[in-house]
Amino acid sequence: MENKDKKILFFGFSDVGYRCLKYMLDEGYNVVGVFTHDTDPHEAHWFKTPESLAKENFIPVFKPQTLKTEKWYRKVKYMQPDLILSLYYRNIIPEEIFSRAKLGAYNMHGSYLPAYRGRAPLNWAIINGESYGGVSLHVLEKKFDTGAVVDQEKVEFGENEYVGDIQPRISDAALRVFTRSLESLLDGTPKTVPQDLSKVSYFGKRTPEDGRIDFSKTAREVFNLIRGVSKPFPGAFADIGGKKTIFWRAKIGEDTNGTPSGTVVSREPLTVACADKFIVAEETEVSES
């Protein structure tokens, strides 16, 4: 059987999911079904969805709240996929489903594994002051992001770059990793490398409330939070004058010389004392919520 005749079952979301699905469809690969989900209510609609692309190409779309039911086990068994791909899919894919793929199942994760297993890896990497992130295509297993790596690419970023500046480079890297790996997956000949367990780190899901600024931290820590959850994410915020103020962009100012943390020393520009230096807002928004 030719590789382009083999049945690919796609699980995916976000810009990476969309771009990888588009690549397969443009190149004539046989995608037999698309599993996806709706955008989170707190999430900005900044990317095209695999759902819209699948419908344009008359591919069946499924959006179950959970895959952990006999209905979906039977459905996937009936579809007889040769290959299962998880490309930024956010729900758990049970072993009863991913084990059905004759050629295996693989997941794209948005970090340079084994670091930053778990959710929101790029946001966490920026918040933690890292100088790089990345993407990794790995074997799908029962536990999140634990499987042997097929291919990965490191994405470096500067200490003052915002998540919105970096995300497109992460997406580009993911597409490169995917396109150079797909044929080996369909051949059943991918070369895999086990993850170094001594270098594992794990971070959990973030919520909008996790963007609340703690001015008792250093200005660098506050600045990293601001740039790590800025647009297109919900943003870092603080209650200023009784109103929720979102800090979209900022810079680190001068030493506070003992000014208590959280003290607003200027409104134009908005300047707040942190543990060591001031944080100076460059773009803010007063939210009604």
Side-chain angles (χ1 to χ4, degrees), residues 181-197:
S181 302
L182 181 57
E183 280 293 309
S184 71
L185 302 185
L186 289 167
D187 284 336
T189 59
K191 296 179 180 178
T192 59
V193 178
Q195 294 185 38
D196 183 346
L197 298 183

PDB file of all heavy atoms in Angstrom, residues 181-197:
ATOM      1  N   SER A 181       8.930  14.238   9.276  1.00  0.00           N
ATOM      2  CA  SER A 181       8.756  12.972   9.990  1.00  0.00           C
ATOM      3  C   SER A 181       7.637  12.107   9.432  1.00  0.00           C
ATOM      4  O   SER A 181       7.630  10.890   9.656  1.00  0.00           O
ATOM      5  CB  SER A 181       8.467  13.232  11.475  1.00  0.00           C
ATOM      6  OG  SER A 181       9.496  13.977  12.085  1.00  0.00           O
ATOM      7  N   LEU A 182       6.686  12.701   8.733  1.00  0.00           N
ATOM      8  CA  LEU A 182       5.452  11.990   8.372  1.00  0.00           C
ATOM      9  C   LEU A 182       5.719  10.738   7.547  1.00  0.00           C
ATOM     10  O   LEU A 182       5.130   9.686   7.806  1.00  0.00           O
ATOM     11  CB  LEU A 182       4.508  12.931   7.626  1.00  0.00           C
ATOM     12  CG  LEU A 182       3.151  12.334   7.208  1.00  0.00           C
ATOM     13  CD1 LEU A 182       2.403  11.795   8.429  1.00  0.00           C
ATOM     14  CD2 LEU A 182       2.304  13.380   6.490  1.00  0.00           C
ATOM     15  N   GLU A 183       6.590  10.819   6.560  1.00  0.00           N
ATOM     16  CA  GLU A 183       6.832   9.652   5.712  1.00  0.00           C
ATOM     17  C   GLU A 183       7.404   8.487   6.514  1.00  0.00           C
ATOM     18  O   GLU A 183       7.028   7.324   6.292  1.00  0.00           O
ATOM     19  CB  GLU A 183       7.763  10.020   4.559  1.00  0.00           C
ATOM     20  CG  GLU A 183       7.065  10.732   3.402  1.00  0.00           C
ATOM     21  CD  GLU A 183       6.086   9.829   2.669  1.00  0.00           C
ATOM     22  OE1 GLU A 183       6.480   8.709   2.278  1.00  0.00           O
ATOM     23  OE2 GLU A 183       4.923  10.242   2.483  1.00  0.00           O
ATOM     24  N   SER A 184       8.282   8.758   7.461  1.00  0.00           N
ATOM     25  CA  SER A 184       8.844   7.670   8.261  1.00  0.00           C
ATOM     26  C   SER A 184       7.773   7.037   9.145  1.00  0.00           C
ATOM     27  O   SER A 184       7.799   5.819   9.387  1.00  0.00           O
ATOM     28  CB  SER A 184      10.012   8.167   9.115  1.00  0.00           C
ATOM     29  OG  SER A 184       9.566   8.998  10.170  1.00  0.00           O
ATOM     30  N   LEU A 185       6.819   7.854   9.622  1.00  0.00           N
ATOM     31  CA  LEU A 185       5.723   7.300  10.419  1.00  0.00           C
ATOM     32  C   LEU A 185       4.870   6.371   9.570  1.00  0.00           C
ATOM     33  O   LEU A 185       4.455   5.292  10.027  1.00  0.00           O
ATOM     34  CB  LEU A 185       4.855   8.425  10.995  1.00  0.00           C
ATOM     35  CG  LEU A 185       5.543   9.473  11.879  1.00  0.00           C
ATOM     36  CD1 LEU A 185       4.511  10.433  12.453  1.00  0.00           C
ATOM     37  CD2 LEU A 185       6.350   8.824  12.986  1.00  0.00           C
ATOM     38  N   LEU A 186       4.614   6.780   8.348  1.00  0.00           N
ATOM     39  CA  LEU A 186       3.780   5.964   7.450  1.00  0.00           C
ATOM     40  C   LEU A 186       4.533   4.750   6.923  1.00  0.00           C
ATOM     41  O   LEU A 186       3.927   3.737   6.579  1.00  0.00           O
ATOM     42  CB  LEU A 186       3.270   6.823   6.300  1.00  0.00           C
ATOM     43  CG  LEU A 186       2.205   7.860   6.694  1.00  0.00           C
ATOM     44  CD1 LEU A 186       1.992   8.877   5.587  1.00  0.00           C
ATOM     45  CD2 LEU A 186       0.893   7.175   7.059  1.00  0.00           C
ATOM     46  N   ASP A 187       5.846   4.836   6.864  1.00  0.00           N
ATOM     47  CA  ASP A 187       6.664   3.670   6.499  1.00  0.00           C
ATOM     48  C   ASP A 187       6.766   2.687   7.655  1.00  0.00           C
ATOM     49  O   ASP A 187       7.159   1.529   7.466  1.00  0.00           O
ATOM     50  CB  ASP A 187       8.086   4.113   6.128  1.00  0.00           C
ATOM     51  CG  ASP A 187       8.158   4.750   4.753  1.00  0.00           C
ATOM     52  OD1 ASP A 187       7.279   4.472   3.914  1.00  0.00           O
ATOM     53  OD2 ASP A 187       9.094   5.538   4.521  1.00  0.00           O
ATOM     54  N   GLY A 188       6.487   3.165   8.857  1.00  0.00           N
ATOM     55  CA  GLY A 188       6.680   2.340  10.046  1.00  0.00           C
ATOM     56  C   GLY A 188       8.128   2.225  10.452  1.00  0.00           C
ATOM     57  O   GLY A 188       8.525   1.274  11.133  1.00  0.00           O
ATOM     58  N   THR A 189       8.931   3.254  10.068  1.00  0.00           N
ATOM     59  CA  THR A 189      10.377   3.191  10.325  1.00  0.00           C
ATOM     60  C   THR A 189      10.928   4.411  11.070  1.00  0.00           C
ATOM     61  O   THR A 189      12.069   4.808  10.823  1.00  0.00           O
ATOM     62  CB  THR A 189      11.133   3.042   8.994  1.00  0.00           C
ATOM     63  OG1 THR A 189      10.820   4.186   8.155  1.00  0.00           O
ATOM     64  CG2 THR A 189      10.761   1.765   8.282  1.00  0.00           C
ATOM     65  N   PRO A 190      10.163   5.055  11.954  1.00  0.00           N
ATOM     66  CA  PRO A 190      10.724   6.228  12.633  1.00  0.00           C
ATOM     67  C   PRO A 190      11.841   5.814  13.589  1.00  0.00           C
ATOM     68  O   PRO A 190      11.779   4.763  14.225  1.00  0.00           O
ATOM     69  CB  PRO A 190       9.530   6.796  13.403  1.00  0.00           C
ATOM     70  CG  PRO A 190       8.675   5.606  13.681  1.00  0.00           C
ATOM     71  CD  PRO A 190       8.807   4.739  12.451  1.00  0.00           C
ATOM     72  N   LYS A 191      12.875   6.650  13.674  1.00  0.00           N
ATOM     73  CA  LYS A 191      13.945   6.432  14.630  1.00  0.00           C
ATOM     74  C   LYS A 191      13.609   7.218  15.898  1.00  0.00           C
ATOM     75  O   LYS A 191      13.444   8.429  15.851  1.00  0.00           O
ATOM     76  CB  LYS A 191      15.278   6.888  14.049  1.00  0.00           C
ATOM     77  CG  LYS A 191      15.714   6.084  12.836  1.00  0.00           C
ATOM     78  CD  LYS A 191      17.036   6.588  12.277  1.00  0.00           C
ATOM     79  CE  LYS A 191      17.458   5.777  11.056  1.00  0.00           C
ATOM     80  NZ  LYS A 191      18.737   6.296  10.484  1.00  0.00           N
ATOM     81  N   THR A 192      13.503   6.513  17.011  1.00  0.00           N
ATOM     82  CA  THR A 192      13.092   7.165  18.251  1.00  0.00           C
ATOM     83  C   THR A 192      14.221   7.158  19.274  1.00  0.00           C
ATOM     84  O   THR A 192      15.058   6.255  19.295  1.00  0.00           O
ATOM     85  CB  THR A 192      11.859   6.476  18.861  1.00  0.00           C
ATOM     86  OG1 THR A 192      12.163   5.107  19.123  1.00  0.00           O
ATOM     87  CG2 THR A 192      10.679   6.545  17.896  1.00  0.00           C
ATOM     88  N   VAL A 193      14.211   8.185  20.119  1.00  0.00           N
ATOM     89  CA  VAL A 193      15.208   8.323  21.179  1.00  0.00           C
ATOM     90  C   VAL A 193      14.474   8.468  22.511  1.00  0.00           C
ATOM     91  O   VAL A 193      13.645   9.384  22.669  1.00  0.00           O
ATOM     92  CB  VAL A 193      16.103   9.554  20.938  1.00  0.00           C
ATOM     93  CG1 VAL A 193      17.099   9.713  22.078  1.00  0.00           C
ATOM     94  CG2 VAL A 193      16.817   9.452  19.597  1.00  0.00           C
ATOM     95  N   PRO A 194      14.737   7.596  23.492  1.00  0.00           N
ATOM     96  CA  PRO A 194      14.070   7.721  24.798  1.00  0.00           C
ATOM     97  C   PRO A 194      14.383   9.058  25.448  1.00  0.00           C
ATOM     98  O   PRO A 194      15.472   9.616  25.270  1.00  0.00           O
ATOM     99  CB  PRO A 194      14.651   6.560  25.608  1.00  0.00           C
ATOM    100  CG  PRO A 194      15.185   5.602  24.593  1.00  0.00           C
ATOM    101  CD  PRO A 194      15.648   6.437  23.439  1.00  0.00           C
ATOM    102  N   GLN A 195      13.440   9.568  26.212  1.00  0.00           N
ATOM    103  CA  GLN A 195      13.667  10.816  26.928  1.00  0.00           C
ATOM    104  C   GLN A 195      14.611  10.589  28.112  1.00  0.00           C
ATOM    105  O   GLN A 195      14.566   9.547  28.755  1.00  0.00           O
ATOM    106  CB  GLN A 195      12.338  11.398  27.421  1.00  0.00           C
ATOM    107  CG  GLN A 195      11.412  11.843  26.296  1.00  0.00           C
ATOM    108  CD  GLN A 195      10.167  12.533  26.821  1.00  0.00           C
ATOM    109  OE1 GLN A 195      10.221  13.277  27.797  1.00  0.00           O
ATOM    110  NE2 GLN A 195       9.035  12.292  26.167  1.00  0.00           N
ATOM    111  N   ASP A 196      15.433  11.585  28.371  1.00  0.00           N
ATOM    112  CA  ASP A 196      16.364  11.552  29.512  1.00  0.00           C
ATOM    113  C   ASP A 196      15.583  11.889  30.780  1.00  0.00           C
ATOM    114  O   ASP A 196      15.222  13.051  31.014  1.00  0.00           O
ATOM    115  CB  ASP A 196      17.486  12.568  29.279  1.00  0.00           C
ATOM    116  CG  ASP A 196      18.534  12.542  30.375  1.00  0.00           C
ATOM    117  OD1 ASP A 196      18.283  11.939  31.440  1.00  0.00           O
ATOM    118  OD2 ASP A 196      19.606  13.142  30.172  1.00  0.00           O
ATOM    119  N   LEU A 197      15.312  10.896  31.585  1.00  0.00           N
ATOM    120  CA  LEU A 197      14.466  11.084  32.762  1.00  0.00           C
ATOM    121  C   LEU A 197      15.083  12.005  33.801  1.00  0.00           C
ATOM    122  O   LEU A 197      14.381  12.543  34.664  1.00  0.00           O
ATOM    123  CB  LEU A 197      14.140   9.725  33.387  1.00  0.00           C
ATOM    124  CG  LEU A 197      13.350   8.758  32.490  1.00  0.00           C
ATOM    125  CD1 LEU A 197      13.032   7.473  33.246  1.00  0.00           C
ATOM    126  CD2 LEU A 197      12.076   9.409  31.973  1.00  0.00           C
TER     127      LEU A 197
END
